[in-house]
Amino acid sequence: MKIIDAHLHFWPEEEGFTNLALAAGHENNAEHLEKAYEELGIVCGIVMGNRSVDPEDHRYPDFLRYCIGMDSFYLTENDVSESVEALEENLKRPQCVGIKLYPGYSPIYVSDPIYEPVYELAKTYGKPVAVHTGETSMASAYLKYSHPLSLDQAAAEHPQVQFVMCHYGNPWLMDAAAVVSKNPNVAADISGLLEGRVSLDVLFEEKRGYMEALRTWMGYLHEYEDILFGTDWPLANLKEYIEFVKRLVPEKYWEKVFFDNADRIYRLGLKK
């Protein structure tokens, strides 16, 4: 079975990412990631971009694609309106398959008019907008901006834009399911649900209620057409994450979740 990792981060020189990779049993470099992908049947990964929007900051190995990111590091010192030209230069590249927004880390709702130029670009180039939803890694962030319900208005007002709800709005799984089910232009990746090394047997026993909730609210969606596998690497161990998702998703839907949905939604053209 071929796999697409629809959500990872790739910043080899960043110390925090290096420490996360080591804790997950990995090394934060391209050579290690490519080898791990090959061993596990992962044929492509989609980087959720950090740093600037300068195209020169986003050069990735051939086995990776990327969403150009407007994260808190960037928006602290820059305005969205100043970024349109650079965003468009990224979107012109075949390797750039979308845009990533970071509400919560940035105190701006995705329905704010400030993002209108972003959505117009996404519509023009036919590339998705991935949106951080759910919990954040920093206590200084604001959860009200990253609640999955905050994506509903943006999706309803921009029906021609494909949105990807990152992390399935965790832990607001029921709300996330409602937003994806209601809006035909919203899908969800299930990245970032594990961190470091884990014993899956222990995890599924000790967190039984949570695991059942995940199963329930992923299964709520019709035929798993809008669920995308992603790892949030270097946060989690790749092999363990694949097994984690296999335990949650019925086997007859594995090809959709692990490959087909991401290939279709991000228009990767990998299915043959």
Side-chain angles (χ1 to χ4, degrees), residues 131-155:
V131 179
H132 172 86
T133 61
E135 287 186 305
T136 61
S137 63
M138 301 187 301
S140 58
Y142 297 95
L143 293 177
K144 68 178 183 179
Y145 297 105
S146 62
H147 193 287
L149 286 177
S150 67
L151 180 54
D152 179 57
Q153 182 178 344

Side-chain angles (χ1 to χ4, degrees), residues 111-181:
S111 57
D112 193 291
I114 196 172
Y115 284 124
E116 287 303 312
V118 174
Y119 300 145
E120 190 61 34
L121 283 174
K123 183 174 71 171
T124 298
Y125 285 88
K127 296 185 178 182
V129 177
V131 179
H132 172 86
T133 61
E135 287 186 305
T136 61
S137 63
M138 301 187 301
S140 58
Y142 297 95
L143 293 177
K144 68 178 183 179
Y145 297 105
S146 62
H147 193 287
L149 286 177
S150 67
L151 180 54
D152 179 57
Q153 182 178 344
E157 292 178 351
H158 300 89
Q160 294 178 294
V161 175
Q162 173 69 59
F163 291 90
V164 177
M165 177 193 295
C166 301
H167 317 304
Y168 205 33
N170 186 59
W172 295 292
L173 303 170
M174 180 173 64
D175 298 328
V179 174
V180 177
S181 178

